[in-house]
Amino acid sequence: MHRIRTISDIVDWRLCLGCGVCAYICPERRVSLLDFVEEGIRPVVESNDCGSCRVCLEVCPAFENDHTEINSVPGLIEELKPYCGPVLEIWEGYAADSEIRHRGSSGGLLTALALYCLERQAMPGVLHIGSDPNDPLRNKTRMSKNRADLMAKTGSRYAPAAACDSLHLIEAAAGPCVFIGQPSEVTALRKAERLRPALSAKIGLALSFFCAGSPARRGTLELLKSMGVKPDEVSDVRYRGNGWPGMFAVTLKGQSQPSHFRTYTESWRFMQAYRPFSVHLCPDGTGEDADISCGDPWYREVKDGEGGSSLVVVRTETGRRILRGAMEAGYVQAEPAETWKLLRSQNNLFEKRGAIGGRVATIRAFGLPVPKLKGFSLMQNWWRLSFKDKLRSTAGTIRRIISRRYYRRRNLDATRVGMDNGGDLDSVFRID
């Protein structure tokens, strides 16, 4: 059995989820983040003498993820634990502000909650990702401090992001802040909080969203190519938002409005094939470590012209307090929702969770490294799958391991990737 000893092992055995927390936590500042076009954002250790502190592994959600403790909190909805972890309450609603509701991906709930924290809870900032102002095809982590900042970053971004790369901004803030990130990023945040009391003291609220994993940048590039658009012609890309569920919309340089479109279903069906292998081993698709997580209510069909809406999953007492306050202050409109609506809305994520038990067991049987996962009811969920799905989760993993040579350790570095792509310097991009 190959063992994981460093963060480079996590990357080379294709386990990295790209959260960026290792770059933040490294006491020697020896970890840089690079955006590999075929893989996503990955850490690269800049010195062969990395030392032996293992701090980066202690905070890495791809190395170990244990949800046993958060699932033991009193008052949780028991029937939901095996599928989506700790849940205190479920609501369905949307941002009361019509502009926020329209601009957001699914009702603007996260933006509305963040704005409430800025304006009514005196929190000084919201750390989240948005389009890189210097490159619309990439993302950048930034601190929003007012409504205008938040509105500039509305809508989902189906491209690599590393929200934890800038946790130092929260640590240096004047008071507790809001953090918004993918499920794995919120897990990384919580693990970093245990090692950094100064960071923990500055987390006022952690928000997440339902997520099946971000595609590598190649997904966006290939989708643009299929639409006849060259990357250097693009001035703006919207993956969702401006209606529900929104369109993949491309604005070209010299234009003020989008000119190329794909429906949400078309664009996601295309790009999801470019997700890295690691996301298929991540059991948390609903933000279990967050105070509140939100996602589309796919239990029903979306009507043409219907305003956006979200299922709001309250996971902690902090989340309950903030949601109640936002509703009372008129930032959010919501009604209680039944548990079946959550289960039916995210059936694909729960099926994936079930398959992970078989995938991990198969990879381990090959003597290859796997994440240390606890508190996710993986085998319980795997046994609930049909025989056909059980076979797919194991046989499909075997096929991937052999056909894609996953049994070989990979050396993912900028020089090699550039050569593998014909010397294309754009195949690697440094994250500042």
Side-chain angles (χ1 to χ4, degrees), residues 7 19-27 31-33 43 56-57 59-60 164:
I7 203 69
C19 68
V21 72
C22 51
Y24 157 76
I25 205 72
C26 178
V31 178
S32 296
L33 298 176
C56 55
L57 289 182
V59 298
C60 177
C164 292

Side-chain angles (χ1 to χ4, degrees), residues 52-53 216 226 269 277 380 424:
S52 58
C53 71
S226 73
R269 183 182 293 126
F277 179 65
Q380 177 184 346
D424 178 12

Side-chain angles (χ1 to χ4, degrees), residues 314-332:
V314 177
R315 300 187 180 277
T316 67
E317 290 300 331
T318 295
R320 178 154 32 203
R321 174 178 60 83
I322 292 295
L323 178 62
R324 290 285 200 282
M327 292 169 62
E328 291 172 1
Y331 285 76
V332 169

Side-chain angles (χ1 to χ4, degrees), residues 105-106 210 240 244-245 264 294-298 309-311 345-346:
S105 293
S106 50
F210 303 169
R240 286 189 65 181
W244 187 42
Y264 163 69
C294 297
D296 293 280
W298 296 133
S309 184
S310 275
L311 289 175
S345 293
Q346 304 299 326

Side-chain angles (χ1 to χ4, degrees), residues 90-214:
I90 308 172
W91 298 74
E92 183 174 353
Y94 49 85
D97 185 295
S98 59
E99 182 185 13
I100 293 177
R101 185 182 186 186
H102 179 73
R103 294 274 294 276
S105 293
S106 50
L109 248 300
L110 294 178
T111 302
L113 290 170
L115 184 62
Y116 166 74
C117 289
L118 289 178
E119 295 182 344
R120 298 299 183 91
Q121 294 295 307
M123 295 190 191
V126 179
L127 190 72
H128 58 149
I129 66 105
S131 174
D132 187 333
N134 297 316
D135 187 339
L137 302 186
R138 294 188 173 95
N139 295 322
K140 189 175 182 63
T141 309
R142 288 182 285 177
M143 183 76 85
S144 289
K145 298 183 178 181
N146 52 49
R147 177 191 172 96
D149 289 347
L150 289 173
M151 296 302 288
K153 305 177 191 67
T154 58
S156 299
R157 297 285 300 175
Y158 296 133
C164 292
D165 66 356
S166 298
L167 289 177
H168 62 280
L169 297 178
I170 290 182
E171 196 170 337
C177 297
V178 179
F179 177 86
I180 305 177
Q182 296 182 47
S184 60
E185 292 169 334
V186 179
T187 297
L189 168 71
R190 297 306 194 194
K191 291 164 77 72
E193 283 187 77
R194 298 185 191 112
L195 297 184
R196 292 278 183 90
L199 172 67
S200 185
K202 297 294 181 67
I203 299 298
L205 182 69
L207 299 174
S208 192
F209 43 89
F210 303 169
C211 178
S214 294

Side-chain angles (χ1 to χ4, degrees), residues 202-259:
K202 297 294 181 67
I203 299 298
L205 182 69
L207 299 174
S208 192
F209 43 89
F210 303 169
C211 178
S214 294
R217 187 158 44 95
R218 178 63 70 191
T220 298
L221 294 174
E222 292 299 323
L223 181 56
L224 291 173
K225 183 178 178 181
S226 73
M227 300 168 69
V229 176
K230 297 179 180 179
D232 58 4
E233 297 174 337
V234 176
S235 68
D236 184 60
V237 171
R238 293 277 301 191
Y239 291 82
R240 286 189 65 181
N242 290 332
W244 187 42
M247 303 278 283
F248 179 82
V250 181
T251 303
L252 301 182
K253 293 177 180 178
Q255 298 181 351
S256 60
Q257 297 294 327
S259 57

